Amino acid sequence: MSISVQHISKSYKDVKALNNISFEVNEGELFGLIGPDGAGKTTLFRILTTLLIAEKGSATVAGFDVLDDYKSIRNHVGYMPGRFSLYQDLTVEENLNFFATIFGTTVEENYDLIKDIYVQIEPFKKRRAGKLSGGMKQKLALCCALIHKPKVLFLDEPTTGVDPVSRKEFWEMLKRLQQKGITILVSTPYMDEAALCDRIALIQGGEILQIDTPPEIVKHYPKKLYNVGADNMYKLIETLKGYEHQYSVYPFGEFVHYTDNRSDFNSKELKLYLETMNLSNISIEITKPTIEDTFMELARL
Amino acid sequence: MKRFIGFIKKEFYHIFRDRRSLFILFGMPIAQILLFGFAITNEINNVDIAILDNSKDATTQEIINRISSSKYFSVQQYLERGADIESAFKKGKIKAVLNFEKDFSQKLIKEGSATVQIITDATDPNTANTISNYTSAILQKYQQELNKSITVAYQIVPQTRMVYNPELKSVFMFVPGVMTIILMLVSAMMTSISIAKEKELGTMEILLVSPLKPFLVIIGKVVPYIFLSVVNAVIIIVLSISIFKMPVQGSLFLLGAESVLFIITSLALGILISTVAATQQTAMMISLMGLMLPVILLSGFIFPISSMPVPLQLISNIIPAKWFIIILKAIMLKGVGITYIWKETLILLGMTIFFIGVSTKKYKIRLE
Amino acid sequence: MKQENVIEVEGLSKKFGDFKAVDAITFEVKRGEIFGFLGANGAGKTTAMKMLIGISTPTSGKASVADFDVYTHAEDIKKNIGYMSQKFALYDDLSVKENITFFGGIYGLSRAQIKDKTAQLIEELGLQEVANQLVGSLPLGWKQKISFSVALLHDPKIVFLDEPTGGVDPITRRQFWEMIYKTANNGTTIFVTTHYMDEAEYCDRVSIMVNGKIEALDTPERLKKQFSVTNMNDVFLKLARG
């Protein structure tokens, strides 16, 4: 077991940031914490990286207790906080060298681990970190977090505010790191990134809604989900919400994801209803639920 | 050790890449010393005065001659009537008026006393005081000379001699004060800001989650500033010796050692501030309000401690700067050795140990 | 509904020295449309939007917003648009009501209008219980809804949303989009810049900027067909990676 969290709770004043959280991450696993801002992801990361002390519960990282063995943990984990936390007035090279030095190693010693990532930013090695683009900064931060060959890597919202191209590249990098045996705990507010993890924990309001592999999570979606489309989106949403048998109505891109209260749902009946309400170009098709659908379903309970 | 050196190297990058901090570090000491040395002064020179001589006899003429020949005063105007005094002041140029009564000579000889009124413009009380003192001194001197011819029984002749700063140069007063302020500023404020900066940027998080011992982070932050403060102290001393002919009577080594002690005191204070300040802005506010103001107001730098109300005098005792200024003055102006200032040194040392102790205890190895 | 254009842009460019941040872009946005303005970091989205909202003068090209020219009538444009950004929206240390009053005042609403609007807004968003609370104490999702409503206070013709919904939970996010649909349905044009591709799927039409140029402009449906992919993220990746 690489990370083990048992009944962790933590409050700030009267706000409960984490409420009785438990989960385990296996060695070499890519584990995702999926949830919106304020779900408690950062607090959990800080507890696991020994920066905060939980009020209740216990946790171990790489076999070390977060409280008693915090020094050992600090030697064996890499941590990339949510904000870009490198020295903006130092160059790419200087930042990397600095972090290598304070971890008692050199860039050369662990170069094979960061090589894939570093070659992409190497052309800019003399540039100050503050002058890099979002994607570059993120790559540099990852290099710095990896420079001492950590056993466990903590990445707190690494892809927030980064464009899709950089995001995709970033996840490809994580997959490669995982193959080198590094356990990765990553958090993200983007549901579409969840599918890229081995297992995920859906988290909201300081509580874990569900933990499983992404395919299993969507398999547990309790209802039949329909994609409903029509010409006037606003009217469609309003009309569906006014339908007496509706269970949930969520806009989903160019369609609306609709579930019905009844087990014997008849799409023709709904189509008829929508037509009588003056909607045109109506389409109703059954569709596969996504992790986001599951999340919303769990969150409304 | 390699980690530590790497850390210090990084600190120097920060310092030399930030123009603002470079300016505070090296521009401020020079500007302050020059400013205090040239612009702010307690001395009076060529103060414009007016004379209202109601008797116009030999004695008043002699006195007026003596006054106008001194370098302190220049007689600008002779008034005719008492009514002119006020308008002379109102024009603003005249800082004092000497008003001799009628028949000055005669009265002096016949009755043994005559009156001269010294009226000063007290909108600037310090200058007014000095003017009146200087004028009285000239009058007294003249009186003594008059009395020489006549033998008077039991006469006390006060003979004043200003020692350690015989010319009463105010720059000698200010240099120790300015040096104290600058060392305090550079050490306490800059350190606390640079630690708060790491917190603000989130880099402190990464440093904490690294094998670098938390206290080494702080020491690493402090070492560059010790070095820079020493450079600053040297600049100040060299400037004051070369430009203002400030004497350093005592041992330079002792001066250096005491300065290093005070620098460490300030750094300890800086660390203490950084343990409570989460942002650079707060660190700066606390440094300015909590350190600079008391140093300027209560250390005896500008306002003499002996003339403060008792509660403030007591408070001044807990201000490290007060003791450092005493030490500096003693070494630079009096030329004394450690045997005379061991008590102050010990107090400063005690404070330093106390601050280091508290900040070590308050220093967090975690985020909250 | 009459399909007149509320934004017309032709060959609009902005240069910083030799660097072409925005390189001759041309497009128009119709009344009541939800227009997605996409692009990677540094593609020129922000620069282009700054020109449209009248706070940056173009180097060359033509553009009019709400029938006002961006060169000569920037001040009139400002009166006719609303603006909401994720970075700055509301004052955290003012209460909900104080924020509404303040922004109403900025846009020159009368006291009576502000009072009406405040009541209406609080009613619609269901904020009765928190109306006097400091905005800083509210959840992010609420703040976003309030700041969107504040951007609509003066009944602008166009609302510019700069990456509006990052970080909120999926349900709140959908409530936010429902508000946007409703607003658009009432005839207000919505101009959204974002680099979150799932947000793009909600728009009527999207344009994708790459290196200062608009490389694609169509409905999400047709773009997906054109690039034969299933979601906007892949459209974007295909475009950006060449």
Side-chain angles (χ1 to χ4, degrees), chain A residues 235-270:
Chain A
K235 213 170 155 196
L236 176 64
I237 296 167
E238 290 295 297
T239 314
L240 283 174
K241 283 198 167 170
Y243 189 49
E244 58 175 325
H245 302 294
Q246 66 96 3
Y247 175 74
S248 69
V249 176
Y250 293 120
F252 227 95
E254 46 193 315
F255 297 104
V256 174
H257 278 189
Y258 173 84
T259 55
D260 201 88
N261 261 329
R262 300 158 295 178
S263 49
D264 55 338
F265 170 69
N266 185 335
S267 68
K268 276 181 193 141
E269 200 184 318
L270 178 62

Side-chain angles (χ1 to χ4, degrees), chain A residues 10 74 79 87 89 94, chain B residues 14 17 198 205 365 368:
Chain A
K10 172 86 187 170
R74 289 178 183 193
Y79 173 43
Y87 297 102
D89 55 343
E94 285 162 355
Chain B
H14 288 322
R17 280 178 193 177
E198 300 253 5
E205 257 177 84
I365 54 162
E368 58 171 25

